[in-house]
């Protein structure tokens, strides 16, 4: 053992004294003796100069080469131990990729190889192009990519027959040539080859060839740009000097083109262009251009360019409610740098759902209108458009205002460091707990505007939060796979566990003796706080979405019923005392949302593809089902306290999501209202209001009986959830804009509803 240790020690000391022997170096390539920093460069003689870094401890170097793609290297040279440079003069094939490596010959006869170096040797010119100088002359242009050429050979032949004839020998680095003595209406092929003299032998590249029709050359680089509401500018690259002018053609179907105008010839220094002033807005047009000669003969056809001209509406149209008797309409004035000659703006108005009519015409410098002709019994709609002498723009999105007796105003804005995912309000409405993506649980005083209390302990996003029945504890669920029960009085964790995956839901039983949790691992678990132990668990086929227990404030005993919803096709009812499954509500599609009223023994579920179901808690069969006509997912369902109304909220389809309220007695639809994106939250107050929130940034309050829209509030991003206070005097909302908001009922007044 001592001999082995001594041998290892000697090897380590030897390696550490060797140059570049650190195997943890990012540039280490497998051997401390291999050459480093292998580089290649093509010189003006057509040779490849190879350099490398000598690592020492060698008796010489070997230079190896192969063609890229071939399996085997060939040794092409051997150098002395002092050499760090070699010039490969044996290249015979250009426009080819070579691979080099350098091999160190070590004193013990072994070798160490460098990393490979890949080198492409460009030879053939690139990008041949033409400019027609006269009826018998064309100038050729190409790109020089070679460092070592001795010149270029230009060749010409008529297309369809004959051999190429040399028409020019060009000096090195010259990249243009004038071909003469051409005949009109003749098709030619022209080519350019690089030449290189090596050992008195001329080496030629492959031909760079391209066809040229000695007619009037086609314009290129055609572009179309809308300059004003009545002018489209067509511009192109002029590729000939023998034209008499250009003809511009237009089509609406890209097949049948009609002549719309012509221009005279352009000088080479001028931009070739044509202005079309005969188009119709919001139609798609296709243009092409052809040169014409002295006998009106037409040249080659350009490529086609397409454009759809429009007249956009004024931007940033909005309505400000100044007071009970006055509103102000605002919009952005037109871009003063624009060429558009705006004559002014038209403001249109409508009443209720009637037609819009012109209300007032304003000058182009105006960007607001004060309106005072308000009648509290009328709903008004406004929109604005710009106009010129010839056209009127698109109208802005309409803005609608109405007078509402049910008005809310923002009373508190509660900032967070990340989006707010969930919230809960205690049963006496004195505290609000929020869960946010910054990993914090925050407790807000709803009676006074004091500093919030924060509960720190989660390491990732907090997904859910709830109060205990006695309002003395908070339970939180997190992406860090833990749930925590917090004491509000001390701010410390009373009970916590780490699960196998994200914890999506957690609640406390009526007497706080049990904790029920569910997670992304599809498992829900029932824990004893006093015994600090798992009582029992079961699972769904999908993530646990909802948990409900019969935590009625009037009960004096602990919870007896547990209802679990997974992201699957089942909602399960469990007996907490016997730990057994009482019954299962089964759907054809995945259940997305649910709500339970234990005192009425009623359940509502919403599923994929638009199914809404109303259930008896104790039965497996439903009272009724309804289906959304557009098969949109039912993202939220909510029952009122008497279970006479069921509200549902859908996903969005083509910017259209709906709140619907159903009569639970028969399943009839009472009314529907719209949002523009997915609906994320619903609540129904005891005094017959419905509140909804959406990813479209809005909160909407509706009359629960007839669906009249009563009020609209806004976040700066998606609204994640919303809830009424007990008497609907307040609305609580949370959003992706990193805020929770409290809205309080205020005096009746005008509101912007869309």
């Amino acid at each position: 053992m001592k001999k082995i240790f001594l041998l290892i020690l000697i090897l380590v000391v030897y390696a550490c004294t060797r140059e570049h022997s650190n195997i943890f170096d990012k540039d280490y390539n497998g051997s401390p003796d291999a050459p480093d920093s292998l580089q290649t460069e093509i010189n003006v003689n057509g040779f490849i100069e190879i350099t490398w870094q000598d690592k020492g401890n060698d008796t010489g170097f070997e230079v190896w080469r192969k063609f890229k793609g071939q399996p085997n290297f060939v040794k092409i040279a051997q150098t002395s131990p002092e050499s760090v440079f070699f010039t490969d003069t044996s290249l015979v094939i250009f426009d080819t990729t070579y691979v080099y490596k350098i091999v160190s010959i070590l004193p013990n006869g072994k070798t160490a190889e460098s990393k490979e170096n890949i080198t492409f040797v460009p030879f053939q010119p690139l990008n041949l192009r033409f400019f027609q100088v006269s009826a018998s002359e064309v100038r050729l242009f190409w790109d020089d990519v070679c460092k070592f050429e001795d010149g270029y050979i230009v060749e010409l032949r008529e297309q369809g027959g004959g051999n190429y004839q040399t028409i020019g020998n060009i000096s090195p680095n010259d990249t243009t040539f004038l071909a003469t003595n051409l005949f009109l209406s003749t098709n030619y092929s022209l080519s350019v080859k690089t030449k290189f003299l090596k050992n008195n032998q001329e080496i030629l590249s492959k031909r760079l060839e391209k066809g040229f029709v000695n007619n009037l050359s086609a314009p290129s680089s055609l572009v179309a740009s809308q300059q004003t509401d009545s002018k489209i500018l067509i511009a192109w690259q002029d590729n000939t000097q023998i034209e008499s002018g250009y003809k511009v053609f237009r089509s609406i179907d890209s097949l049948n083109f009609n002549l719309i105008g012509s221009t005279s010839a352009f000088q080479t220094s001028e931009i070739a262009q044509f202005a079309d002033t005969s188009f119709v807005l919001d139609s798609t047009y296709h243009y092409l251009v052809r040169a014409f000669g002295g006998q009106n003969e037409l040249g080659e056809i350009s490529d086609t360019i397409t454009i759809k001209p429009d007249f956009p509406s004024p931007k940033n149209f909005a309505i400000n409610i100044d007071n009970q008797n006055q509103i102000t309409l605002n919009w952005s004035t037109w871009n003063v740098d624009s060429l558009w000659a705006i004559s002014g703006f038209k403001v249109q108005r409508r009443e209720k759902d009637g037609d819009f009519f012109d209300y007032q015409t304003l000058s182009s410098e105006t960007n607001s209108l004060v309106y005072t002709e308000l009648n509290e019994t009328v709903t008004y709609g406004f929109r604005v458009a710009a106009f010129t002498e010839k056209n009127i723009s698109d109208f802005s999105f309409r803005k609608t205002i109405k007078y509402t007796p049910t008005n809310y105003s923002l009373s508190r804005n509660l900032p967070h460091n990340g989006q707010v995912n969930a919230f809960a309000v205690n049963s006496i409405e004195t505290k609000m707990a929020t869960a946010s993506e910054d990993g914090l649980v925050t407790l807000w005083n709803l009676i006074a505007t004091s500093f919030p209390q924060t509960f720190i302990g989660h390491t990732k996003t907090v997904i859910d939060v709830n109060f205990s029945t006695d309002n003395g504890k908070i339970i939180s669920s997190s992406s860090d796979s833990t749930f925590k029960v917090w004491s509000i009085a001390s701010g410390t964790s009373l009970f916590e566990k780490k699960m196998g995956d994200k914890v999506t839901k957690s609640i406390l039983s009526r007497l706080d003796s049990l904790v029920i949790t569910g997670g992304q691992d599809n498992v829900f678990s029932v824990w004893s706080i006093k015994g600090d132990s798992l009582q029992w668990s079961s699972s769904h086929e999908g993530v646990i979405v909802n948990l409900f227990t019969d935590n009625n404030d009037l009960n004096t005993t602990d919870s007896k019923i547990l209802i679990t919803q997974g992201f699957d096709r089942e909602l399960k009812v469990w007996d907490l005392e016997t730990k057994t499954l009482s019954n299962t509500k089964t759907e054809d599609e995945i259940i997305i949302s649910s709500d339970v009223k234990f005192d009425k023994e009623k359940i509502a579920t919403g599923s994929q593809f638009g199914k809404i179901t109303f259930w008896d808690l104790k039965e497996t069969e439903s009272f009724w089902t309804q289906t959304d006509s557009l098969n949109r997912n039912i993202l939220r369902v909510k029952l009122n306290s008497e279970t006479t109304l069921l509200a549902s909220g859908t996903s969005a389809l083509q910017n259209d999501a709906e709140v619907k309220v159903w009569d639970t007695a028969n399943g009839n639809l009472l009314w529907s209202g719209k949002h523009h994106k997915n609906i994320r939250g619903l609540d129904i107050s005891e005094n017959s209001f419905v509140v909804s929130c959406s990813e479209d940034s809005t909160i909407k309050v509706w009359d629960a009986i007839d669906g009249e829209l009563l009020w609209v509030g806004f976040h700066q991003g998606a609204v994640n959830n919303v809830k009424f206070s007990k008497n609907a005097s307040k609305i609580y909302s949370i959003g992706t804009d990193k805020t929770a908001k409290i809205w309080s009922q205020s005096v009746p007044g005008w509101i912007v509803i869309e």
Side-chain angles (χ1 to χ4, degrees):
M1 180 63 72
K2 291 182 179 179
K3 291 181 179 180
I4 294 174
F5 176 77
L6 181 60
L7 177 60
I8 293 173
L9 181 61
I10 292 171
L11 290 173
V12 169
V13 172
Y14 171 74
C16 290
T17 59
R18 296 287 305 281
E19 182 181 359
H20 199 70
S21 60
N22 182 5
I23 63 172
F24 299 104
D25 191 310
K26 64 183 178 65
D27 294 324
Y28 178 68
N29 61 8
S31 170
D33 302 299
D36 254 356
S37 307
L38 180 60
Q39 295 182 352
T40 59
E41 184 176 357
I42 304 167
N43 66 20
V44 295
N45 296 314
F47 303 149
I48 294 184
E49 296 176 351
I50 307 166
T51 60
W52 62 90
Q53 181 181 341
D54 182 0
K55 303 302 292 296
N57 195 40
D58 54 71
T59 61
F61 297 97
E62 294 175 347
V63 182
W64 293 72
R65 185 186 72 193
K66 71 173 183 177
F67 293 113
K68 184 179 179 183
Q70 290 188 346
N72 299 320
F73 280 88
V74 175
K75 186 172 75 170
I76 61 172
Q78 185 161 340
T79 71
S80 67
E82 295 80 17
S83 297
V84 290
F85 178 86
F86 176 76
T87 300
D88 184 1
T89 62
S90 61
L91 301 181
V92 293
I93 302 175
F94 302 116
D95 284 320
T96 300
T97 300
Y98 292 92
V99 183
Y100 290 91
K101 67 179 179 180
I102 305 298
V103 177
S104 294
I105 308 300
L106 305 179
N108 59 8
K110 294 185 178 181
T111 60
E113 297 183 359
S114 71
K115 293 181 180 179
E116 295 178 0
N117 179 282
I118 298 174
T119 303
F120 177 70
V121 185
F123 192 37
Q124 182 188 33
L126 298 176
N127 192 24
L128 182 60
R129 50 207 184 273
F130 306 118
F131 182 80
Q132 192 173 27
V133 177
S134 70
S136 61
E137 297 174 313
V138 63
R139 181 165 292 280
L140 290 70
F141 301 89
W142 61 89
D143 293 342
D144 177 6
V145 296
C146 182
K147 290 185 176 181
F148 53 87
E149 80 275 4
D150 290 308
Y152 295 94
I153 296 176
V154 181
E155 299 175 320
L156 175 143
R157 72 176 181 183
E158 290 188 18
Q159 288 184 358
N163 297 321
Y164 273 107
Q165 302 295 319
T166 299
I167 60 173
N169 275 279
I170 312 302
S171 302
N173 301 318
D174 199 352
T175 57
T176 181
F177 177 77
L178 181 67
T180 60
N181 301 317
L182 305 181
F183 297 99
L184 275 175
S185 303
T186 303
N187 295 349
Y188 293 97
S189 290
L190 293 110
S191 81
V192 181
K193 295 188 291 187
T194 307
K195 66 179 180 180
F196 174 54
L197 298 177
K198 183 175 183 180
N199 299 326
N200 296 320
Q201 180 183 359
E202 187 176 68
I203 299 175
L204 298 175
S205 73
K206 294 179 181 178
R207 281 190 177 91
L208 173 65
E209 58 184 338
K210 186 176 181 179
F212 171 71
V213 180
N214 195 28
N215 289 331
L216 293 164
S217 296
S220 59
S221 305
L222 195 65
V223 295
S225 59
Q226 185 180 353
Q227 302 293 298
T228 70
D229 65 303
S230 57
K231 180 181 178 181
I232 293 176
L233 190 65
I234 315 298
W236 59 90
Q237 173 66 50
D238 178 4
N239 292 325
T240 178
Q241 287 186 337
I242 64 171
E243 83 279 9
S244 297
Y246 287 93
K247 294 183 183 292
V248 181
F249 298 83
R250 188 179 70 190
S251 170
I252 58 174
D253 60 7
S254 76
L255 298 174
N256 302 296
F257 283 84
N258 298 309
L259 177 66
I260 60 169
S262 60
T263 75
S264 59
F266 292 93
Q267 300 298 319
T268 55
S269 60
E270 294 181 309
I271 298 176
Q273 58 186 24
F274 171 83
D276 180 10
T277 58
S278 61
F279 59 87
V280 177
L281 289 170
D282 296 317
S283 296
T284 299
Y285 293 99
H286 312 273
Y287 294 90
L288 61 83
V289 181
R290 301 179 73 176
F292 66 90
Q295 303 300 317
N296 214 31
E297 70 276 15
L298 289 173
E300 300 300 307
I301 300 173
S302 71
D303 292 334
T304 302
I305 191 72
T306 301
I307 189 172
K308 184 178 181 180
D310 65 351
F311 192 169
S313 64
K315 296 179 180 179
N316 304 318
F317 180 53
I319 296 179
N320 293 331
I321 308 298
D322 300 329
N323 53 53
Q324 301 287 51
N325 302 306
Q326 176 180 299
I327 63 171
T328 301
L329 284 61
N330 298 285
W331 58 91
S332 298
T333 53
W334 208 262
N335 184 356
V336 294
D337 296 326
S338 172
L339 298 175
W340 296 54
I342 300 300
S343 301
F345 296 95
K346 289 183 181 295
V347 177
Q348 289 193 338
R349 189 192 75 181
R350 74 173 183 179
E351 297 182 0
K352 297 183 178 179
D353 294 325
D355 295 331
F356 278 98
F357 61 89
D358 288 346
Y359 171 72
Q360 200 164 128
T361 300
L362 304 168
S363 70
S364 59
E365 293 80 20
T366 306
N367 65 346
S368 64
L369 173 67
V370 175
Y371 185 85
T372 58
E373 302 169 25
L374 297 171
N375 183 329
E376 295 176 1
T377 64
V378 177
T379 299
Y380 297 98
F382 295 91
R383 62 184 187 181
V384 63
F387 66 92
T388 65
E389 292 182 357
K390 292 186 176 182
N391 294 299
I392 186 168
S393 76
D394 298 332
F395 276 95
S396 63
F397 289 114
R398 71 173 183 267
K399 296 291 183 181
T400 303
I401 65 166
K402 69 174 295 181
Y403 189 85
T404 178
T406 308
N407 197 12
Y408 291 85
S409 59
L410 182 64
S411 56
R412 290 186 68 182
N413 189 66
L414 310 177
H416 294 69
N417 294 322
Q419 83 163 9
V420 188
N421 298 316
F423 76 96
V425 177
N426 67 5
S427 60
I428 55 176
E429 297 188 336
T430 59
K431 304 283 186 180
M432 178 182 184
T434 55
S436 53
E437 69 176 357
D438 60 5
L440 295 179
V441 176
T442 307
L443 186 66
W444 306 86
N445 189 329
L446 299 181
I447 306 303
T449 56
S450 56
F451 284 108
Q453 181 181 358
T454 56
F455 299 83
I456 301 172
H458 287 296
T459 58
K460 293 184 180 179
T461 296
V462 185
I463 299 173
D464 188 46
V465 65
N466 285 290
F467 280 97
S468 61
T469 307
D470 66 2
N471 299 320
K473 304 176 190 68
I474 294 172
I475 185 166
S476 57
S477 315
S478 172
S479 293
D480 64 9
S481 303
T482 68
F483 69 86
K484 297 178 186 288
V485 179
W486 307 88
S487 166
I488 293 177
S490 66
T492 59
S493 174
L494 301 174
F495 182 75
E496 60 183 75
K497 293 292 180 183
K498 188 170 182 64
M499 310 300 289
D501 208 332
K502 294 178 182 178
V503 183
T504 53
K505 276 289 185 182
S506 54
I507 57 176
L508 289 157
S509 65
R510 170 69 179 81
L511 299 182
D512 299 345
S513 63
L514 299 176
V515 174
I516 303 103
T517 65
Q520 195 159 313
D521 57 4
N522 306 348
V523 174
F524 69 89
S525 305
V526 181
W527 303 81
S528 169
I529 294 182
K530 293 180 181 179
D532 190 19
S533 61
L534 176 64
Q535 296 294 293
W536 61 282
S537 64
S538 189
S539 64
H540 278 258
E541 293 182 0
V543 176
I544 305 302
V545 177
N546 266 326
L547 299 170
F548 303 92
T549 58
D550 53 337
N551 288 3
N552 192 306
D553 287 344
L554 300 179
N555 288 345
T556 57
T557 59
D558 209 355
S559 306
K560 300 183 184 310
I561 302 172
L562 169 66
I563 296 178
T564 61
Q565 178 207 334
F567 195 70
D568 54 24
R569 293 173 173 80
E570 293 182 332
L571 185 133
K572 299 179 180 182
V573 182
W574 305 83
D575 187 314
L576 275 173
E577 292 182 323
T578 64
K579 307 174 186 177
T580 58
L581 181 65
S582 300
N583 67 72
T584 301
K585 321 297 183 188
T586 304
E587 289 285 17
D588 297 329
E589 303 295 341
I590 290 174
I591 300 172
I592 299 175
S593 55
S594 56
D595 190 30
V596 180
K597 291 291 184 268
F598 285 98
D599 57 337
K600 301 297 181 181
E601 298 185 343
K602 299 295 188 294
I603 298 175
T605 58
S607 306
Q608 281 185 326
F609 307 114
K611 189 175 182 181
I612 303 115
T613 308
F614 185 52
W615 308 82
D616 185 282
L617 186 150
K618 295 181 177 179
E619 304 296 331
T620 57
E621 298 297 322
S622 63
F623 289 114
W624 53 262
T625 63
Q626 290 289 355
T627 303
D628 177 67
S629 59
L630 299 177
N631 298 121
R632 293 166 294 191
N633 295 338
I634 306 302
L635 303 182
R636 294 290 183 271
V637 289
K638 191 70 179 179
L639 291 164
N640 69 339
S641 58
E642 297 301 316
T643 66
T644 56
L645 299 175
L646 189 162
S648 61
T650 72
S651 59
L653 180 65
Q654 296 180 343
N655 295 322
D656 187 3
E658 284 188 295
V659 177
K660 294 185 178 182
V661 173
W662 312 83
D663 185 339
T664 58
N666 49 32
N668 290 341
L669 177 65
L670 298 178
W671 58 269
S672 64
K674 293 187 182 298
H675 281 274
H676 298 300
K677 293 184 180 180
N678 294 341
I679 293 169
R680 289 192 175 182
L682 283 174
D683 198 17
I684 307 177
S685 71
E686 295 179 359
N687 50 352
S688 297
F689 293 136
V690 173
V691 64
S692 58
C693 68
S694 166
E695 293 174 11
D696 65 8
S697 305
T698 63
I699 305 162
K700 295 186 177 183
V701 175
W702 317 79
D703 186 298
I705 305 304
D706 60 16
E708 180 185 0
L709 180 59
L710 302 174
W711 176 80
V712 179
F714 298 90
H715 276 252
Q716 295 300 310
V719 190
N720 285 334
N721 206 355
V722 67
K723 181 180 175 63
F724 279 121
S725 63
K726 287 182 178 178
N727 60 3
S729 63
K730 289 183 173 61
I731 295 172
Y732 309 102
S733 63
I734 58 172
T736 61
D737 59 0
K738 304 180 182 180
T739 68
K741 297 181 187 295
I742 302 174
W743 311 81
S744 300
Q745 275 193 348
S746 57
V747 296
W750 292 95
I751 62 169
V752 180
I753 60 174
E754 63 175 351

